[in-house]
Amino acid sequence: MTKYIITGGRPLNGEISISGAKNAALAIIPAALLVSGRCRIENIPQIKDVTIQLQILQHMGADVRMVDSHTMDIDCTGISSPIADFDEMRQIRASYYHIGTLLGRFGEAVVAMPGGCDFGGVRPIDQHVKGFHAMGADVEVRNGVVYAKAATGRMHGAYVNLDVVSVGATMNIMLAAVLAEGITVIENAAREPHIVDLANFLNSMGADVRGAGTNVIKIRGVKKLTGGTYAIIPDQIEAGTYMTAVAAAGGSVLVKNVIPRHLNCISSKLEEMGVDIINMEDSVLVRRRGALHRANVKTMPYPGFPTDMQPQIATVLCLAQGTSIITEGVWDSRYKYVSELLRMGANVQVNGRIAVIEGVKRLTGAAIKSWDLRAGAAMVIAGLCAEGVTEVEGVNYIERGYENLVEKLRSVGADIESVYVPDPEGVEEEEAV
Ligand code: UD1
């Protein structure tokens, strides 16, 4: 098993460059299945979830070639079956985009139900199914496999009003709609930057998607998508994670290769907490010298404060003067990591979706665990600002979504190393799902 060993208390100073957006890449890579011919995708982050998504396409028969460390050529012409029921599908949540892409291309999909981070319960796909159903598909789940089939052999356009704002459902319905007969309208659509990125990718290949970034998206089905080249946007959450790391540990870091507008929801909260933020064209300077102020945070769909930044901001607030209240507005439960912060001396009480944080003067190093991807990032932040040595276990979760986290943090002065520790019972750490 691999652990991170962090000696805390060092301010961070220098520059960090942000990789391509995980959540955009995880939808754009399967979208290549809708393209006739080869497409080149640039700025792909080198992370475990992306590797699995590429393996899934290869398993289905795609020709995937690495052009350089962050660029892939993908040609899905060789895929001839709508069946994607194999193990890699169960390892990541984003494998569910293959329901939309296979329905779009073949009018049929047989797809293993996805895995993904566990936020304390099931992660439903009823809104995806509602959309596919409106577009003419019968959908059934049997023995952990989704069977979906368009009654006429081809999906048709439809009006879909989502009951909840869902990123996954918005993207999946969009994927099923680009090659459908007629016009699809998604109302109450999610507005996250990765939704706009997926629409831009599809449009650059010849699709007709309008309104992405607003809550009404209109997709006019086209006969065919043709190949091209597309570069994925920078990762909003990776950038936000390093911004909160600077807020927690102190120092001054230029976070480069970002779209500052995508970070406004995070930047404004950090400013409220006493952190200096200076936006430039494609970078953000983050500086923290004085004390941190308390703040209340409510997570919401974009452009609200992202649920994927909740564990990181909560960790910073553990060191802010006064009482802060966090309200988790997207998931029923996303506070498993709080038990680890308590071991480090934090004062946090959780009641359902609410966490009440009484700021403390310091956190102290301890042996702690990552519970999921973003909670894992928060544990690293806790280690960076704690007194003494922190050991973080379960880093396979973190490496699913952060490219070169250890190297990036070391480059700005953090004392963090990744060490391999043989398991005493000889059992290897389980793969993250
Ligand atoms: C959500 C986040 C996304 C984040 C990801 C992982 C939002 C709106 N989305 O995306 O930014 O990257 O978690 O942390 O903040 N839901 C249903 N039925 C469905 C689909 C979703 O009820 O068919 C509910 C979920 O239970 C959840 C909410 O809708 O309460 C948002 O889900 P959704 O946006 O689909 O989740 P992700 O795409 O995983």
Side-chain angles (χ1 to χ4, degrees):
M1 119 177 114
T2 305
K3 280 185 189 178
Y4 292 162
I5 312 279
I6 306 167
T7 304
R10 291 185 166 208
L12 306 178
N13 287 293
E15 295 182 356
I16 292 182
S17 187
I18 298 306
S19 303
K22 162 184 169 282
N23 288 334
L26 291 176
I28 288 173
I29 291 167
L33 197 139
L34 297 166
V35 177
S36 304
R38 182 187 66 91
C39 58
R40 175 164 291 186
I41 307 175
E42 300 172 342
N43 204 29
I44 296 181
Q46 276 193 346
I47 50 174
K48 186 77 194 294
D49 274 17
V50 159
T51 306
I52 295 171
Q53 198 64 301
L54 289 165
Q55 282 168 352
I56 288 171
L57 273 188
Q58 281 176 308
H59 201 138
M60 291 163 79
D63 180 16
V64 177
R65 290 176 195 210
M66 193 179 218
V67 178
D68 63 42
S69 59
H70 295 89
T71 305
M72 299 281 172
D73 278 349
I74 304 179
D75 186 342
C76 293
T77 316
I79 298 180
S80 55
S81 160
I83 300 173
D85 175 14
F86 36 83
D87 274 352
E88 293 101 319
M89 299 293 286
R90 295 179 184 87
Q91 291 177 21
I92 53 169
R93 170 188 59 89
S95 58
Y96 60 30
Y97 294 127
H98 291 284
I99 312 174
T101 55
L102 289 168
L103 275 174
R105 175 152 159 190
F106 296 111
E108 186 176 359
V110 178
V111 170
M113 279 290 274
C117 287
D118 172 10
F119 301 146
V122 280
R123 295 180 73 171
I125 60 162
D126 58 296
Q127 297 303 305
H128 308 225
V129 172
K130 174 178 166 168
F132 300 145
H133 194 68
M135 297 169 74
D138 291 325
V139 186
E140 253 193 290
V141 183
R142 290 196 309 269
N143 303 326
V145 178
V146 179
Y147 295 84
K149 193 166 184 172
T152 60
R154 187 178 173 197
M155 301 294 273
H156 60 69
Y159 172 83
V160 184
N161 192 319
L162 294 176
D163 300 329
V164 288
V165 179
S166 159
V167 174
T170 303
M171 301 228 253
N172 226 343
I173 295 166
M174 202 193 283
L175 290 167
V178 284
L179 295 179
E181 179 89 55
I183 296 172
T184 300
V185 177
I186 310 174
E187 289 237 33
N188 200 22
R191 293 180 281 169
E192 267 68 359
H194 32 296
I195 290 182
V196 180
D197 210 33
L198 175 63
N200 287 342
F201 166 80
L202 293 166
N203 286 341
S204 75
M205 303 284 149
D208 185 353
V209 181
R210 297 180 196 193
T214 75
N215 59 3
V216 184
I217 301 179
K218 192 167 167 186
I219 306 129
R220 188 183 294 272
V222 296
K223 289 231 151 41
K224 191 174 169 183
L225 300 187
T226 49
T229 299
Y230 189 79
I232 289 171
I233 52 165
D235 196 303
Q236 175 208 28
I237 305 297
E238 188 199 10
T241 299
Y242 291 117
M243 291 166 75
T244 42
V246 179
S252 174
V253 171
L254 186 68
V255 182
K256 295 196 314 186
N257 182 34
V258 296
I259 299 174
R261 186 169 33 90
H262 292 167
L263 300 170
N264 283 347
C265 42
I266 302 162
S267 301
S268 58
K269 193 50 71 178
L270 289 173
E271 281 181 316
E272 196 185 320
M273 291 162 63
V275 179
D276 297 333
I277 304 281
I278 299 166
N279 285 339
M280 292 164 223
E281 201 183 322
D282 61 359
S283 57
V284 174
L285 180 69
V286 186
R287 197 166 49 201
R288 206 270 284 171
R289 296 206 180 100
L292 289 163
H293 312 313
R294 61 157 301 281
N296 293 338
V297 178
K298 178 163 189 198
T299 67
M300 282 189 242
Y302 188 83
F305 191 89
T307 176
D308 275 0
M309 283 298 303
Q310 185 256 93
Q312 301 92 312
I313 201 91
T315 303
V316 185
L317 287 171
C318 286
L319 293 170
Q321 292 171 342
T323 308
S324 303
I325 296 177
I326 303 220
T327 309
E328 173 53 52
V330 178
W331 298 102
D332 285 342
S333 160
R334 207 176 174 174
Y335 291 118
K336 266 192 189 169
Y337 66 90
V338 166
S339 57
E340 309 302 301
L341 293 177
L342 298 181
R343 291 158 61 81
M344 301 177 78
N347 183 350
V348 186
Q349 290 194 8
V350 175
N351 187 355
R353 288 180 171 229
I354 311 268
V356 179
I357 304 174
E358 294 290 345
V360 293
K361 287 223 158 47
R362 68 188 68 81
L363 298 179
T364 47
I368 53 173
K369 231 174 129 169
S370 301
W371 285 100
D372 63 52
L373 167 61
R374 305 303 174 185
M379 295 306 100
V380 171
I381 293 172
L384 293 173
C385 62
E387 281 182 9
V389 177
T390 296
E391 291 190 12
V392 183
E393 269 185 29
V395 304
N396 57 332
Y397 283 114
I398 302 173
E399 291 173 358
R400 278 180 42 189
Y402 288 90
E403 178 175 335
N404 293 336
L405 175 117
V406 169
E407 292 77 2
K408 287 185 185 186
L409 283 172
R410 285 170 72 94
S411 77
V412 290
D415 186 341
I416 174 169
E417 58 177 330
S418 178
V419 293
Y420 179 75
V421 190
D423 190 297
E425 283 151 31
V427 181
E428 286 302 304
E429 198 169 353
E430 258 186 43
E431 204 51 76
V433 289

